[in-house]
């Protein structure tokens, strides 16, 4: 296993180029199972989750070519379609459960492993399955597998989600695009990644309308014709590097971003005391004055993203006063807290609320990554800590951050990846 050794205390300065969005790539690549002709995606990030998905797509009978230098992914149909998604692949990537939707829509059958456990919460898939049933799927969950069929094909239906789910919204969009009739989704997720999926499918001939009131209307079409699509930039990666600039009291130019998608993060950063200057597809960030403590509550988009919560917690340790973070999306997403405390942070947890008392001078320590965003919060803390921090189990980090240590080292960080 590999680990990172980070020598803290270096001010970052320079440029960081943001990769394509992992969370937009996954459903869009999965929707390619709906196509008969080859599809091509640009700006696909070189992260572990994408390689896991490539394996899954291959197991389902597709041919995949990934040009890693150009970050272009091509997917074409092989002769034989397969309908079985095994546990061995699904256990490492929850988003894999989305393959159920295109397999049912296109072939009328699928056997897909329930996704593996997850450290940040139970993360059930009941919303996906209940909505697919409304579209006419028969679903039987047994021995860890979802056995599904749609003998008469999927039919449009009205779906009102009881709570907002990114994955379940994406599942139903993919399932309904070729269904007979119209599907109306209320209380849908409207994250930029969901909208990128809709935009891709519409370019290919789908008929999907959406509005900011969380309504999506999908009129089923008979076929999709392939088109090249460029994946949106990763807003969470951009937000993470913005914190890296602030936590080291440095200055970064962050390139290849969509500033519109970052407004919810920028508004908090500006209140805290960041100077952010935006350009067409980049922004510069540095501290305007001494940073002020903050309060955030994680919410579905356009609210503050849960995927940025851990990074803001690392920053809060370096801000004088009490900062408060309420995690409202996942029930167990404070696993980074005990590791930050090993580095000297002062954090109190009461149910879903964390209170961080700063400024605490952090000291390098041996810590353990527990999930994707928790891992990166440890990297951020280590950048500002005195001495060397060793981060173990960095496979979590590699799931979602492309060339992290290279990008940071180019801006003056001192990070080494070593084998155990
Ligand atoms: C996606 C993102 C993840 C992000 C999350 C919330 C991807 C690949 N991952 O995950 O990075 O943190 O959105 O923005 O895009 N829930 C149910 N039943 C379901 C589905 C979800 O109860 O069937 C619950 C979850 O446990 C969670 C909440 O709904 O508490 C939101 O989860 P959801 O939006 O579905 O997250 P994901 O799509 O898994």
């Amino acid at each position: 296993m590999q680990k990172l050794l980070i020598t803290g205390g270096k001010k970052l300065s320079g440029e960081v180029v943001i990769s394509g969005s992992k969370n937009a790539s996954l459903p869009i690549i999965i929707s390619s199972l709906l196509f008969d002709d080859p599809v091509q995606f640009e700006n696909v990030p070189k992260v572990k989750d994408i390689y896991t998905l490539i394996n899954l797509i291959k197991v389902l009978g597709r041919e995949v070519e990934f040009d890693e230098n150009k970050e272009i992914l091509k997917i074409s149909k092989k002769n034989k379609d397969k309908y079985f998604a095994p546990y061995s692949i699904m256990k490492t990537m929850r988003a894999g459960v989305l393959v159920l939707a295109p397999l049912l829509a296109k072939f009328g059958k699928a056997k897909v492993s329930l996704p593996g456990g997850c450290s940040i919460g139970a993360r059930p898939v009941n919303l996906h399955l209940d909505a697919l049933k409304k579209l006419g799927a028969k679903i039987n969950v047994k021995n860890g597998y979802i056995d599904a069929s749609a003998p008469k094909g999927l039919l449009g239906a009205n779906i009102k989600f009881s709570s907002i789910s990114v994955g379940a919204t994406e599942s139903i969009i993919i399932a309904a695009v070729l269904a007979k009739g119209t599907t109306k989704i209320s209380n849908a997720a409207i994250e930029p990644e969901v909208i990128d999926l809709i935009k891709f499918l519409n370019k290919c001939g789908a008929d999907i309308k959406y509005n900011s009131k969380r309504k999506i209307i999908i009129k089923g079409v008979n076929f999709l014709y392939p088109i090249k699509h460029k994946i949106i930039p990763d807003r969470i990666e951009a937000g993470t590097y913005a914190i890296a600039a602030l936590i080291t009291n440095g200055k970064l130019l962050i390139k290849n971003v969509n500033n519109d998608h970052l407004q919810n993060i920028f508004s908090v950063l500006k209140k805290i005391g960041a100077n952010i200057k935006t350009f067409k597809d980049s922004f510069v960030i540095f501290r305007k004055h001494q940073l002020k403590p903050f309060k955030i509550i994680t919410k579905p988009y356009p609210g503050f993203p849960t995927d940025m919560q851990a990074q803001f917690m690392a920053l809060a340790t370096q801000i004088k006063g009490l900062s408060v973070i309420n995690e409202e999306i996942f029930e167990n997403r404070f696993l980074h807290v005990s590791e930050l405390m090993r580095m000297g942070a002062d954090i109190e947890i009461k149910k879903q609320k964390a209170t961080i008392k700063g400024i605490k001078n952090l000291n390098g320590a041996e810590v353990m990554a527990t999930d994707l965003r928790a891992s990166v919060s440890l990297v951020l803390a280590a950048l500002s800590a005195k001495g060397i921090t060793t981060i173990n189990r960095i496979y979590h980090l590699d799931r979602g951050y492309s060339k992290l240590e290279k990008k940071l080292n180019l801006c003056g960080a001192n990070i080494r990846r070593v084998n155990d």
Side-chain angles (χ1 to χ4, degrees):
M1 268 202 282
Q2 295 188 314
K3 51 190 178 188
L4 291 183
L5 302 184
I6 303 179
T7 307
K10 319 266 183 228
K11 264 189 186 192
L12 298 188
S13 120
E15 296 180 9
V16 181
V17 181
I18 297 305
S19 300
S21 161
K22 165 182 89 71
N23 286 355
S25 300
L26 296 172
I28 288 178
I29 293 170
I30 287 172
S31 75
S32 73
L33 291 166
L34 294 170
F35 290 75
D36 293 322
D37 295 318
V39 282
Q40 181 172 317
F41 304 112
E42 292 168 23
N43 206 28
V44 176
K46 280 180 279 181
V47 295
K48 184 80 179 40
D49 273 6
I50 295 295
Y51 291 98
T52 307
L53 181 59
I54 289 175
N55 282 341
L56 180 55
I57 296 282
K58 283 182 178 169
V59 163
L60 294 171
R62 301 278 154 152
E63 234 156 40
V64 185
E65 250 179 83
F66 190 19
D67 182 332
E68 296 186 346
N69 291 326
K70 295 189 180 147
E71 301 186 331
I72 292 180
L73 186 78
K74 288 184 194 158
I75 302 171
S76 47
K77 207 163 162 18
K78 262 191 170 170
N79 294 334
K80 203 155 168 51
D81 294 308
K82 308 247 174 63
Y83 320 100
F84 179 64
Y87 175 70
S88 56
I89 300 183
M90 300 290 292
K91 67 180 180 196
T92 56
M93 194 189 53
R94 297 191 53 80
V97 77
L98 292 182
V99 298
L100 190 57
L103 295 179
L104 267 176
K106 191 83 180 143
F107 311 114
K109 57 180 168 178
K111 186 166 180 177
V112 175
S113 165
L114 282 166
C118 181
S119 54
I120 64 174
R123 301 184 82 174
V125 289
N126 58 315
L127 296 173
H128 300 240
L129 302 190
D130 290 348
L132 286 170
K133 282 183 195 164
K134 286 218 160 128
L135 295 184
K138 301 213 177 319
I139 293 179
N140 189 12
V141 180
K142 208 174 163 194
N143 304 334
Y145 277 86
I146 306 161
D147 214 335
S149 65
K152 294 182 192 150
L154 295 176
L155 302 170
N158 287 347
I159 288 158
K160 187 167 194 292
F161 284 120
S162 53
S163 60
I164 298 167
S165 159
V166 173
T169 303
E170 291 165 344
S171 259
I172 300 317
I173 292 169
I174 297 171
V177 78
L178 294 178
K180 280 192 205 101
T182 300
T183 299
K184 291 184 184 162
I185 310 178
S186 343
N187 208 23
I190 48 168
E191 265 65 4
E193 295 75 21
V194 176
I195 305 304
D196 201 28
L197 171 68
I198 293 177
K199 286 187 174 164
F200 162 63
L201 291 169
N202 277 345
K203 279 198 285 180
C204 300
D207 183 351
I208 309 173
K209 295 197 171 59
Y210 60 92
N211 67 27
S212 57
K213 293 190 176 131
R214 303 196 175 281
K215 274 237 172 332
I216 299 178
I217 299 176
I218 307 153
K219 284 191 185 149
V221 294
N222 291 333
F223 63 91
L224 296 167
Y225 47 87
I227 208 149
K228 286 182 192 165
H229 182 74
K230 186 171 178 187
I231 304 286
I232 54 168
D234 196 311
R235 63 193 168 105
I236 304 301
E237 191 194 12
T240 302
Y241 286 105
I243 304 269
L246 294 180
I247 206 166
T248 62
N249 198 7
K251 181 175 180 179
L252 291 178
L253 167 63
I254 302 184
K255 293 164 95 170
N256 183 31
V257 298
N258 182 326
N259 286 314
D260 291 345
H261 298 164
L262 287 159
Q263 288 311 313
N264 48 6
I265 298 171
F266 284 169
S267 72
V268 181
L269 289 174
K270 282 180 184 166
K271 273 192 219 146
I272 292 176
N275 194 327
I276 300 173
K277 204 167 167 200
T278 57
F279 304 95
K280 188 170 159 279
D281 50 13
S282 63
F283 67 93
V284 173
I285 181 163
F286 56 92
R287 287 187 191 194
K288 194 168 173 181
H289 42 67
Q290 201 184 339
L291 301 182
K292 289 184 283 203
F294 59 86
K295 284 190 180 158
I296 49 180
I297 302 176
T298 64
K299 298 258 185 223
Y301 190 86
F304 184 86
T306 173
D307 284 352
M308 281 302 301
Q309 176 258 101
Q311 298 89 315
F312 271 76
M313 192 177 295
L315 181 62
T317 66
Q318 300 309 300
I319 300 178
K320 192 170 176 209
L322 291 183
S323 293
V324 178
I325 298 177
N326 271 291
E327 171 56 56
E328 293 211 341
I329 307 284
F330 291 109
E331 64 272 26
N332 193 25
R333 207 172 196 181
F334 284 143
L335 292 163
H336 42 287
V337 170
S338 55
E339 301 305 298
L340 290 172
M341 287 171 75
R342 286 174 59 74
M343 298 175 72
D346 183 347
I347 304 170
E348 190 186 85
I349 301 285
K350 277 198 184 138
K351 293 190 176 153
Q352 299 298 97
K353 177 171 150 188
T355 306
I356 307 105
K357 191 171 172 194
I359 293 176
K360 284 286 165 194
N361 291 325
L362 301 180
N363 290 303
E366 183 139 9
V367 292
M368 193 169 73
T370 46
D371 71 69
L372 173 54
R373 307 303 169 185
S375 336
V376 92
S377 80
L378 300 178
V379 172
L380 293 169
L383 289 173
S384 70
K386 198 167 161 217
I388 298 177
T389 300
T390 305
I391 306 184
N392 295 292
R393 296 198 188 171
I394 54 164
Y395 50 84
H396 289 292
L397 202 60
D398 294 334
R399 281 190 42 223
Y401 286 91
S402 172
K403 297 184 277 187
L404 177 93
E405 65 265 30
K406 191 171 170 201
K407 289 182 184 182
L408 286 169
N409 284 345
L410 278 172
C411 298
N414 182 344
I415 307 181
R416 277 190 306 133
R417 181 180 286 253
V418 295
N419 290 314
D420 264 347

